[in-house]
Amino acid sequence: MNPWHQALRRWHTDGRLYAVLSAAGFSLKAVFVKLGYAAGPVDALTLLAMRMALALPLFGWLIWLSRREGHAEPLSRLDWLRVVLLGTFGYYLSSLFDFYGLEYISAGLERLILYVYPTLVLLLHAALTRQRPGRRVVQAMAICYLGLGVAFVHDISLAGHGAQVLTGAAWVFVSAVTYALYYLGTGAMLKRLGSMRLAGLAGAVSSVLVLGHYAVAGSPAQLTVLPPAVWWNAGLMALLSTALPVYWMALAIQRMGASQAAAIGSLGPVLTLLASWLLLGEVLSLYQIAGLALVMFGVSRLKPAQPAPAVVPQSAAEMTSLRRSEAG
């Protein structure tokens, strides 16, 4: 048997193949957003509405798959309330803020900012439990934010307007905060619903919220005149960077466990940086590489508060991946 075929079979069996596919899918989300903006006159809310409308049937598919795996028990009113809150903070607010930010900053910088959300999870957890972070955690967070500072130097030096970079970074940071809140809220629901069903339900709720927002504040008539390339990128984002990575991450967690799947999800920022360089022509500088290395090193020193949904990113486990992914 061909050695490559043998290796592929091993990676399929132990889950590594699915973890890599999930990380790759989530890493392309920012690239598809930037390509969508470049393809035609489309704003953040419109592009997000297109993505979620196309992804909604796929979220339904995830819910159906979860029923086949034994997660079919009816939800209580409290369960539905929690799912609605998770959907609000997850793919709705977090994604909306992320799309706003990508109007101003590079895909590479966006991914680095989102990638520090585990530090926000730890800070929020410390505030809720009134426990001060340990020295190791403080050091890890300092390393992460030093890496972001280095990456900022790169983007501000390229964009002639530092204010635009700061505006975009602020939007993405708020996205990371809302995602951290979403991550904290998943713990109580994972055992009862399972990662795939929870991701499907939260994604479906988010889709409805986004579409409702667009119906009130957007211009639905604009959808009929958008260039086909905008729809193409929105469709690729819905399939390759939303639903399928969630499914792949769930398969990876089933086969190799959440912690190992999350570790492979760490490839996300690296893949985003490479994809933005290859597909968007973004400059890949020593500042970005150094900032990426520092952020990834800092995050590697953090101990996740709890396993992430297979988000879900993605991404931390899944959330670590699922958002490292995704962040929206």
Side-chain angles (χ1 to χ4, degrees), residues 26-283:
F26 283 131
S27 70
L28 288 173
K29 187 261 304 180
V31 174
F32 287 135
V33 173
K34 300 292 279 189
L35 289 173
Y37 286 153
V42 62
D43 56 36
L45 179 58
T46 300
L47 188 58
L48 178 59
M50 294 167 67
R51 173 209 188 186
M52 301 310 286
L54 294 171
L56 183 55
L58 301 175
F59 285 128
W61 172 66
L62 291 178
I63 296 171
W64 178 75
L65 285 178
S66 71
R67 292 174 63 89
R68 295 176 59 191
E69 296 177 354
H71 296 288
E73 62 275 13
L75 273 65
S76 66
R77 290 184 180 180
L78 181 58
D79 288 334
W80 276 113
L81 176 60
R82 289 172 173 170
V83 168
V84 169
L85 288 174
L86 290 177
T88 300
F89 284 107
Y91 285 104
Y92 175 38
L93 291 179
S94 182
S95 294
L96 183 61
F97 298 152
D98 186 43
F99 277 48
Y100 284 150
L102 281 166
E103 292 182 326
Y104 300 97
I105 63 175
S106 67
L109 180 58
E110 178 259 9
R111 185 54 45 187
L112 287 183
I113 296 173
L114 287 179
Y115 192 69
V116 301
Y117 84 88
T119 69
L120 300 175
V121 171
L122 289 173
L123 290 174
L124 290 170
H125 183 263
L128 291 174
T129 60
R130 298 182 180 180
Q131 295 179 350
R132 297 179 59 181
R135 180 179 299 179
R136 179 186 176 91
V137 170
V138 173
Q139 290 175 346
M141 290 191 293
I143 293 171
C144 287
Y145 291 102
L146 174 61
L148 282 184
V150 172
F152 268 121
V153 171
H154 165 265
D155 272 54
I156 291 178
S157 66
L158 285 184
H161 310 285
Q164 290 188 0
V165 176
L166 293 176
T167 299
W171 277 118
V172 176
F173 186 78
V174 174
S175 172
V177 172
T178 54
Y179 189 76
L181 291 170
Y182 168 65
Y183 179 86
L184 283 173
T186 59
M189 302 291 290
L190 278 176
K191 284 188 178 181
R192 174 165 167 73
L193 301 183
S195 61
M196 194 178 296
R197 187 186 188 193
L198 180 59
L201 288 170
V205 168
S206 298
S207 297
V208 172
L209 291 173
V210 169
L211 294 175
H213 184 170
Y214 184 67
V216 173
S219 302
Q222 178 191 8
L223 298 176
T224 61
V225 298
L226 287 174
V230 178
W231 282 99
W232 176 249
N233 284 294
L236 289 175
M237 195 188 334
L239 179 64
L240 299 180
S241 298
T242 307
L244 283 181
V246 172
Y247 175 61
W248 288 328
M249 181 53 63
L251 293 179
I253 291 174
Q254 287 174 1
R255 287 165 169 77
M256 64 193 311
S259 60
Q260 287 183 298
I264 294 179
S266 299
L267 289 171
V270 178
L271 296 175
T272 298
L273 210 60
L274 292 175
S276 62
W277 173 56
L278 291 171
L279 301 177
L280 301 176
E282 293 184 357
V283 177

